[in-house]
Structures are given as C-alpha cells and as structure tokens.
Amino acid sequence: MRTGFKKAALKTAKWFGITLASLLLLLFLLPIIFPGTVAEQIKTFANKKIDGELNFSKSRLSFFNHFPSLTVTLYDFSLKGSAPYKNDTLVAAEEVAFGINLKRLIFDNEVRIDKIFLSESFVNVKINEKGQANYNVYISDSKKAPDTISNTSVKLEKIDISNCHLRYEDKSLKMLVNANGFNYLGKGDLSKSIFDLKSEAEIDSIDFVYDNKSYLLRKKITADLITSINTNSLAFQFQKNDLVVNKLPIKFKGKLNILKSGYAIDFEANSLNSNLRDLFTALPPEYVTWLDKTDVKGKIDLKLAFKGNYNAAANQNPTLSFGMKIDEGYIQYNKAPFPASDIRMNFLAVLPSMDTDRLRVRLDSLHFNLGKDALHAYVDISGLSKPRIKASVKAGMDLEKLDQALGLSTIDLKGRLDADVVSNGVYDPDKKTFPVTKGKVLLRNGYLKTSYYPNPITDINLDLNALNTTGSYQSTTVSIKPAAFTFEGKPFSVDASFTDFNDVAYDIKAKGTIDVGRIYKVFSQQGIDVTGFIKADLHLKGKQSYATNGQYAKLDNSGTLLIRNIKATSDQFPKPFRISEGAFTFTREKMNFDKFLANYGQSDFNVNGHLINAINYFFAKNATLHGNFSVKSNLVNVNEFMALAPAEKAQTDPSVKSAEAKNPTQSGVVLLPENLDVSLTANAKQVVYDKLNIQDLNGTVGISKGKFTMRNAGFELIGCRVAIDATYDDVSPVKAGFDVRLRARDFDVKRAYNEIQLFHDLVTAADKAEGIISLDYRLNGTLDGNMAPIYPSLLGEGTLSLRKVKIKGLRMFTVISKKTGSDGVDNPDLTRVDIRTSIKDNVIYVHRTRMGVALFRLRFEGKTNFDGQLNLKMRLGLPPFGVIGIPFTITGTQDNPKIKIFSKKTEETESTDYKGGMIVPNKALKSDLENDSGGKK
C-alpha cells in the first residue's frame, strides 16, 4: 500500500514537474517564437492608427514584466499630441506595456491588445479655448481604409497606471488638475458602447484650480468608483463613488449627459456626520502644521449639488447649492486658556440658474463661546443688486483671546470688540428703501499685525452707530465717532455723521496721513503695484441739495487733501491712471485742483481748475460732476484709451466684456462717462491717433453726458495749421458717432495722401498729384470698432482748393487726351481751382467745376463712390475761348476709365444705405445732379 502510494506520488510529481517545466519553457519560447510578429504588427498598427509623433528606444516581449500577462514593453516611450498641440508631449513614460491576448496570438495569429500598463510617466492633456484637445491621436476605422496590412486590434479590458504625473488643463472650462503620484487601476470592456468602468485610484498630491482659484492644493485622494458609460449618447452615470480627501470621506452620485448644445447634469456630493478635524486635513497644506498643535472636535455635514441644463444659446444654466452644518465644535490652539467652544453653524448658499440676482445665502445660526465671551449671528440675504436682508449679530469678546484660541498664524489681534446689530428689509437705491436697522459696533484699543509687514496698526478705535426706523432713505442715520488708527507713528482719524439719505446731511472731519503702499502690505504680499500716500485735513459739512440748488453759502467745506503716487482704475478705460501728485483745496462748493500731475499709459496730464458738486457726486448714484479745467500735456496717445485696447486689468464692465468677447480683433472706441460735465482749455504738444501724429493741439474741449465737443481748436499736421470743430459720441464699446469740420490751408497734397488715411480714401486722384492745396470740409458719420469711419454712413460737403497742382500719370487724363486728340490734357497744371463735393450713401457727388488746362477749358460734374466707380460728365472747351466744346462721359474705374466722345449719357452709380447700423445696398442713382445744374452745358 505504501509502495503504491509512493509510486503514485512520484508519478504525480513527475508529471507536475514536466508540466511546470513545459510552462516555463513556453514562457521563454513564446517571446522568442513571436517577437518579430508582435513587434512588427504593433509598429504597423501604431503607424496606421496613431496620428502623432511616437518614439521609443527599444521593445521587449515577456511574461515576466506584468505576470501572468504576455506584454510587449516599449522603453523611453513618448507620444506627441494632435492639433493644435502637435509639438507638445501628450504621454512620456519610462515604460509602456501592452497586454496581448495569448489565445488570439497562438490560434489566430492576431495581436489583440487588451491591457495597458503605464509606469513612471507624464500624461499631459490639453484643451484650448475652442474645445480642441491634444488627445485625438487615435484614427478610427471610419477615417481610414480597412486594415489589410496588420492583424492588430485594441479591445481594452484593463488600464494600470503607476506613479504617474497627470496634468489636465481645459482652457474652455478654465479648469486645471495637476496630480502627482497618480496610481490607477481600471477594469471594464472599453470596446463596448455601453459598459461599467470599475476604478481604483490613489493620488499622493493633487491640485484643482477653477477660474484661477485653487480649490484643492497638494491633497491626497483615494477613490473607489463605478461609472456606467454610454458612448453612443455620451452619458455618464456615477453609481458607486467613494472618495477620501486626506482624511475627509466624500460620497457622490449623479449623472452627466452631453447634449448637442450643452449638457444636462444631476450631481450630488456629501460628507455626512464626519469629524470636524478631518475637514481641516482637506484644506491647503499650511493648515497641517496648525492642526498638529490644535485640538479640534465636533461633527460636520457637507453637501454640494449641481443640477440642471447648460445651454448658452437658450441662456440656461444649472443651479448650484452648497451647505455646511457644524455641531458641538471645539477649537483650542496650543492649549490656549480660552478655547472656542460650543461652535454651531448652519450655512446654506443657493445660486439658481447661476443668476446672482437670485442668490440666497442663509446662515441660520453661528455661535461660539470664548470663555465668558460669545458670538451669536443670523444672516439671510436674497439677491445682490437689491438684496433683501435679515440679520442679527451680537458679540462681545477679547480679540486677543480669539487669536489665541484659533491660532491665527498670519495675524495678531488685540482689542475689545462689542457689536449689537439687527437689520431687516430691502436695500433698493432705485426705490430708496433701506432695511430697518438698529446697530452699534464698538472697537477699543485695537491692534493689528500681519506676517506681511513688520510694523502693526495700533490705537484702532471705532464707534459706529446706525439707525433706520421706517425702512426709508429719509430715516437713515449713520455716525462714526471716531474711526481712528496709528500707523508708522502717524495718526489718522475720521469723525462723520450722515442723516436723511434722500438729501444727505453730512458732517465729516478727516485728519492725518495714510501711507497707502505700506498699509496695503499689512494685508497682502510684498511686490504688489500699490504705492503712495494720502494726507488730509478736511472739514466737509452741508447737504446734497445745497450744491444742486445753488445754495453755496450754506456749505461749510474747507481744508486740504494731498495725494502722491496713487493708481486709480475705471471700468471705462483699459489702463489705470497713475497720479504722481495731487494737491486739492475745498472751499464751499468747489474742489480746487491746485496741482494735479497724472499719467495714463504713455499720456501725461498737468491739470489745474476746479470741480463743482463733488460731494453730491459721491453720495448720489446718478449725480453729474461739473468742472472747469486747464490741461497741458506733452503727449496724448488716443489709441490707449480705446475700450478694447490691451488692458492691465480684467474688464468688469458687462458691455465692455461682451464686446471684447465678440470682437477679439478690434480695439474698440473711446468710452466717455455719462455723469461728467466739464470744460477744458487743452494744450497738447503731441497727439497720436491711429497713425496720425498731431502737433501743438490747442482749443476748448467739453465732455458732457458722454459726448465730446471741440471748439475753435487748431493743430499742426503734415506741415500746415488745421482748424477744427468736432463732436464725438460713443454708442457702444465698438461704435461711435462723429461730426467734424476741418479747415486746412496750403498743405502738400502728396504728403496728405501718404499720411492721412481718410484723405487717401476720399481723394484717390491725389496719388498722381503734386503741389499745394487747401481744404474746407464738413463730415459726419459712424466709427467702427477700430475707430475707423464706416464709409456708407458718411455725410459731408466741402471744397478742395487747388492753388498750384500738377497731375502726372493719371490714367483718366491720359485717356481723355488720347480720345480727344488734345495735347496738354494728359499731365495738366491746375491753378486756382475749387472743387466742391458732397458725400452720401457711399457716393461722392462732384458738383460742376471749371478749370483751365493748357489752352483748353475743362468742365466736369458727376459721381464716384468709395468702391472706385466713375460716373462723370465732362466738356472740353477748345481754344481760343472754349465756345466750341467736345462733350464726353467717363465711366468704369479710375484705373480703367471708359470714355465716350460726344456723349452726355452716363451709367448708374451704385450707392449704399447705412440705416440702423446696417449697410444696405441701394438702388443705383441716376447720373444727373438734380439740384446743381447751374451754368452753361
């Protein structure tokens, strides 16, 4: 029995050994038998199916790299992306391995890739503003002929990524994800149109940035996910989604359907009954050190939802909501003697359809104790532009104890804060309503120091009282007695009171110095472009109506205000104004500019004068600021004032932002404030506008209700003095109207043609002319988004006077000379000729004009348009007195004129209407000038 068992055991071990040896031999032989087949088919497949530059140093076929899978491994692998990122790396890895289906390889001689292994890699996914991505490198069968060269296919069932650096940047969504130490295992039949993708992921460090704001920074994440994917309808359903951000557990569910014109989303994420301490682990890394020294307790619930349809054309947006609830919270930093205890908060924010006017923010409760001190707050706000407010805040605490309890690392606080505020109602400036309010905020012996600046702000005192009993503007009273602080040894204080916001009665006293640059650094990082100081010694007392009704004697405004090196911005202008020095004095209704030096881009301004109604302008939303100034400048660059010119700041004005998005290639027009009414005596040594270089501009300029006027002005241009009267009125960021009269005497016609675009377009024949001319012309019309005239919109009339001009090589005169056999007409010398024209509907009307050309008498009239079409009637009077003449017509174009001798009938001239901002082709106009046929024919 023992002998039989021993034989059976030996026989089994023998066959097991043979089988194992055979398998091991097979593992070694298969890569030797098939390496050429596999490598060649993989290479052919890549060349046929990958639209991108692919490189690797060597390849290896083995069972042992990712046992038990047979894999072909490419070393030092790199793949560049698809357009528009063909020069940027999409994937780079030390090793990329493709798992081969062994059954298909042995029995069908087919290389089927069913697994991908990626290690020590960099994956760089990029999507531009138009939604074009760099990962579209795989060429589908629909774009190529059937594969008759290689027997290779991809049917993925597994993706295994280890120690990957993943960077995903989507500029169309303003989103950036940067993940280091990314490990991922995904399983599912990715070749099917509908499949479940099971994913396990771990990320050592991830950053998530949306619209330039960081929401996650260097966080660790683990994830266990199941996602149902329908590639036919581009629908995703999140079934099992368990995340842990550092130690904070998060669950989410929902679905996302990609629609033809947007997407439909129903997404919910929450972390319920979690530890408050775990929340802080998910915050930016600087809180980790703080957390090591802090005792944090309590429970927290977090909820985030994003639901609805997005469709830009239909103006549909999803609704976003976020809620947070804290119970039994406790924070004690570094064993502080007074912890923040009994922390309770219930917060909810809802943004329906992403509409800020429907925003609802509700803080049902906020409470914590600080020893015997405490804070209780309730806030409910609906809408932003005209918010409905219901709030109650009551606090009494030692700020130093609060600082110690919370362990505020970047700030040191001291002082006693007491607050008792109750408010209920609607703030609506249009209806002049104000929430019913009773409030008092008292801060005594305050102290503030941050890590950004070595010296503190001390002696901070604030005594603020607000009262409104009826909900109207009239019953509103606010008093500040005082608001004071000391910084860098310099005290500053403001005492102020305001009553009756329908007609604000004010009493303001301000005295002291503020170093704006240094005080800004107390609250922010170094290196920000904010400098300068303000020094005030002011007493302003009166009512709004005293200024508007002309009761200036009742105003008691006096004192001085000095500013230096201040940067100021406005929504109307793309660049900031930089005020190098400003000295102002206040006397009753006037704010006098004793000295004001400023720059805007390349432009500089030296201003003297005064403003009227400055106080009312500050208090009233639609008040107009009046003033009278003298302005001197060495250079004014008008191009930098255009609304869509390159800006140093993000545009905030909605109309400018919209115009900027719709007209990316346009500079925009110059926008003028509507609530400004000032007159200026201007003197500028140089003005740059488009390509014009204007010298020594002086005259009277006015800006009123968004309209610019210039009267009795003059300037030097192309060597002559030009007199100008003009008006300008912006209609939108990309459209403006203008009306101008120009009077220029004795200027060089050739230089005008080369240097002035409008003259170049209006007087096309000047290309062949030399000599001295004068111009007296009135023109109005519309400017486009590049501040250039829209020719069909132009209306004008005036006279071009030729003092001594020689025309040489103009084809029209050459053909006239040849057709009529009249020598001397081809290159005429013209003296003392006045050509009167008018412009309408893209047509230039040439009124009857007579001139002497050599021994001949030439008379002409007719039309031409800005497209170059000619339609003129002419008469060439023969010597000696021109009594006998040859009539002829000229049609065609300036470069190809068609002349008919002994003809008085011309063709029709096409015109173009400009109505309601639209260019509309008009019916052709007859050639005869109906209202201007004086003189002999």
Side-chain angles (χ1 to χ4, degrees), residues 173 237 241 292 313 502 544 555 598 728 802 825 867:
L173 296 177
Q237 186 165 353
N241 303 280
D292 290 340
N502 274 333
Q544 279 184 267
L555 292 172
Y728 169 90
L802 314 182
V825 178
D867 298 321

PDB file of all heavy atoms in Angstrom, residues 173 237 241 292 313 502 544 555 598 728 802 825 867:
ATOM      1  N   LEU A 173     -13.014  75.384 -20.134  1.00  0.00           N
ATOM      2  CA  LEU A 173     -13.727  75.372 -18.855  1.00  0.00           C
ATOM      3  C   LEU A 173     -12.962  76.128 -17.760  1.00  0.00           C
ATOM      4  O   LEU A 173     -13.422  76.173 -16.619  1.00  0.00           O
ATOM      5  CB  LEU A 173     -13.940  73.924 -18.391  1.00  0.00           C
ATOM      6  CG  LEU A 173     -14.823  73.039 -19.269  1.00  0.00           C
ATOM      7  CD1 LEU A 173     -14.872  71.622 -18.711  1.00  0.00           C
ATOM      8  CD2 LEU A 173     -16.228  73.608 -19.379  1.00  0.00           C
ATOM      9  N   GLN A 237     -23.143  57.793 -15.757  1.00  0.00           N
ATOM     10  CA  GLN A 237     -23.892  57.654 -14.518  1.00  0.00           C
ATOM     11  C   GLN A 237     -22.933  57.172 -13.427  1.00  0.00           C
ATOM     12  O   GLN A 237     -22.290  56.134 -13.557  1.00  0.00           O
ATOM     13  CB  GLN A 237     -25.055  56.669 -14.672  1.00  0.00           C
ATOM     14  CG  GLN A 237     -25.930  56.615 -13.432  1.00  0.00           C
ATOM     15  CD  GLN A 237     -27.265  55.938 -13.694  1.00  0.00           C
ATOM     16  OE1 GLN A 237     -27.579  55.623 -14.829  1.00  0.00           O
ATOM     17  NE2 GLN A 237     -28.040  55.710 -12.672  1.00  0.00           N
ATOM     18  N   ASN A 241     -19.286  55.844  -5.765  1.00  0.00           N
ATOM     19  CA  ASN A 241     -18.233  56.851  -5.828  1.00  0.00           C
ATOM     20  C   ASN A 241     -17.839  57.242  -4.417  1.00  0.00           C
ATOM     21  O   ASN A 241     -18.452  58.106  -3.798  1.00  0.00           O
ATOM     22  CB  ASN A 241     -18.721  58.083  -6.601  1.00  0.00           C
ATOM     23  CG  ASN A 241     -19.184  57.715  -8.003  1.00  0.00           C
ATOM     24  OD1 ASN A 241     -18.377  57.553  -8.899  1.00  0.00           O
ATOM     25  ND2 ASN A 241     -20.490  57.554  -8.170  1.00  0.00           N
ATOM     26  N   ASP A 292      -1.544  70.160  13.810  1.00  0.00           N
ATOM     27  CA  ASP A 292      -0.719  69.369  14.720  1.00  0.00           C
ATOM     28  C   ASP A 292      -0.703  69.951  16.133  1.00  0.00           C
ATOM     29  O   ASP A 292      -0.494  69.226  17.113  1.00  0.00           O
ATOM     30  CB  ASP A 292       0.715  69.288  14.188  1.00  0.00           C
ATOM     31  CG  ASP A 292       0.808  68.426  12.931  1.00  0.00           C
ATOM     32  OD1 ASP A 292      -0.112  67.613  12.709  1.00  0.00           O
ATOM     33  OD2 ASP A 292       1.784  68.584  12.170  1.00  0.00           O
ATOM     34  N   ALA A 313     -26.993  79.115 -25.847  1.00  0.00           N
ATOM     35  CA  ALA A 313     -27.885  79.782 -26.801  1.00  0.00           C
ATOM     36  C   ALA A 313     -29.248  80.077 -26.180  1.00  0.00           C
ATOM     37  O   ALA A 313     -29.860  81.113 -26.447  1.00  0.00           O
ATOM     38  CB  ALA A 313     -28.045  78.906 -28.053  1.00  0.00           C
ATOM     39  N   ASN A 502     -32.173 110.616   1.589  1.00  0.00           N
ATOM     40  CA  ASN A 502     -32.830 111.251   0.440  1.00  0.00           C
ATOM     41  C   ASN A 502     -32.112 112.536   0.059  1.00  0.00           C
ATOM     42  O   ASN A 502     -31.997 112.879  -1.117  1.00  0.00           O
ATOM     43  CB  ASN A 502     -34.297 111.575   0.764  1.00  0.00           C
ATOM     44  CG  ASN A 502     -35.200 110.395   0.492  1.00  0.00           C
ATOM     45  OD1 ASN A 502     -34.901 109.549  -0.346  1.00  0.00           O
ATOM     46  ND2 ASN A 502     -36.305 110.320   1.205  1.00  0.00           N
ATOM     47  N   GLN A 544     -26.665 117.630   0.369  1.00  0.00           N
ATOM     48  CA  GLN A 544     -26.602 117.440  -1.074  1.00  0.00           C
ATOM     49  C   GLN A 544     -27.302 118.571  -1.802  1.00  0.00           C
ATOM     50  O   GLN A 544     -26.797 119.125  -2.780  1.00  0.00           O
ATOM     51  CB  GLN A 544     -27.274 116.119  -1.462  1.00  0.00           C
ATOM     52  CG  GLN A 544     -26.424 114.886  -1.295  1.00  0.00           C
ATOM     53  CD  GLN A 544     -27.167 113.667  -1.792  1.00  0.00           C
ATOM     54  OE1 GLN A 544     -27.828 112.991  -1.015  1.00  0.00           O
ATOM     55  NE2 GLN A 544     -27.082 113.399  -3.071  1.00  0.00           N
ATOM     56  N   LEU A 555     -22.949 125.908   2.518  1.00  0.00           N
ATOM     57  CA  LEU A 555     -21.944 124.846   2.582  1.00  0.00           C
ATOM     58  C   LEU A 555     -20.762 125.297   3.435  1.00  0.00           C
ATOM     59  O   LEU A 555     -20.326 126.446   3.357  1.00  0.00           O
ATOM     60  CB  LEU A 555     -21.458 124.488   1.169  1.00  0.00           C
ATOM     61  CG  LEU A 555     -22.470 123.810   0.245  1.00  0.00           C
ATOM     62  CD1 LEU A 555     -21.909 123.712  -1.166  1.00  0.00           C
ATOM     63  CD2 LEU A 555     -22.842 122.425   0.764  1.00  0.00           C
ATOM     64  N   ALA A 598      -0.607 113.608 -13.659  1.00  0.00           N
ATOM     65  CA  ALA A 598      -1.028 112.215 -13.818  1.00  0.00           C
ATOM     66  C   ALA A 598      -0.535 111.655 -15.147  1.00  0.00           C
ATOM     67  O   ALA A 598      -0.198 112.404 -16.077  1.00  0.00           O
ATOM     68  CB  ALA A 598      -2.546 112.110 -13.735  1.00  0.00           C
ATOM     69  N   TYR A 728     -18.059 114.148 -30.732  1.00  0.00           N
ATOM     70  CA  TYR A 728     -17.860 112.696 -30.701  1.00  0.00           C
ATOM     71  C   TYR A 728     -18.787 112.125 -29.640  1.00  0.00           C
ATOM     72  O   TYR A 728     -18.888 112.667 -28.528  1.00  0.00           O
ATOM     73  CB  TYR A 728     -16.399 112.382 -30.370  1.00  0.00           C
ATOM     74  CG  TYR A 728     -16.119 110.928 -30.050  1.00  0.00           C
ATOM     75  CD1 TYR A 728     -15.775 110.034 -31.042  1.00  0.00           C
ATOM     76  CD2 TYR A 728     -16.206 110.461 -28.739  1.00  0.00           C
ATOM     77  CE1 TYR A 728     -15.509 108.701 -30.743  1.00  0.00           C
ATOM     78  CE2 TYR A 728     -15.951 109.134 -28.431  1.00  0.00           C
ATOM     79  CZ  TYR A 728     -15.599 108.255 -29.438  1.00  0.00           C
ATOM     80  OH  TYR A 728     -15.344 106.948 -29.145  1.00  0.00           O
ATOM     81  N   LEU A 802      -7.348 123.924 -55.286  1.00  0.00           N
ATOM     82  CA  LEU A 802      -6.036 123.646 -55.844  1.00  0.00           C
ATOM     83  C   LEU A 802      -5.340 124.974 -56.100  1.00  0.00           C
ATOM     84  O   LEU A 802      -5.784 125.772 -56.921  1.00  0.00           O
ATOM     85  CB  LEU A 802      -6.163 122.845 -57.147  1.00  0.00           C
ATOM     86  CG  LEU A 802      -7.129 121.650 -57.141  1.00  0.00           C
ATOM     87  CD1 LEU A 802      -7.108 120.938 -58.491  1.00  0.00           C
ATOM     88  CD2 LEU A 802      -6.771 120.681 -56.034  1.00  0.00           C
ATOM     89  N   VAL A 825      -3.571 117.901 -72.119  1.00  0.00           N
ATOM     90  CA  VAL A 825      -4.586 117.477 -71.146  1.00  0.00           C
ATOM     91  C   VAL A 825      -4.072 116.310 -70.311  1.00  0.00           C
ATOM     92  O   VAL A 825      -4.514 116.099 -69.183  1.00  0.00           O
ATOM     93  CB  VAL A 825      -5.899 117.095 -71.869  1.00  0.00           C
ATOM     94  CG1 VAL A 825      -6.959 116.601 -70.895  1.00  0.00           C
ATOM     95  CG2 VAL A 825      -6.427 118.275 -72.654  1.00  0.00           C
ATOM     96  N   ASP A 867     -15.979 102.615 -53.836  1.00  0.00           N
ATOM     97  CA  ASP A 867     -15.522 101.379 -54.468  1.00  0.00           C
ATOM     98  C   ASP A 867     -14.726 101.669 -55.736  1.00  0.00           C
ATOM     99  O   ASP A 867     -14.269 100.741 -56.408  1.00  0.00           O
ATOM    100  CB  ASP A 867     -16.713 100.480 -54.805  1.00  0.00           C
ATOM    101  CG  ASP A 867     -17.470 100.058 -53.551  1.00  0.00           C
ATOM    102  OD1 ASP A 867     -16.797  99.797 -52.539  1.00  0.00           O
ATOM    103  OD2 ASP A 867     -18.717 100.008 -53.584  1.00  0.00           O
TER     104      ASP A 867
END
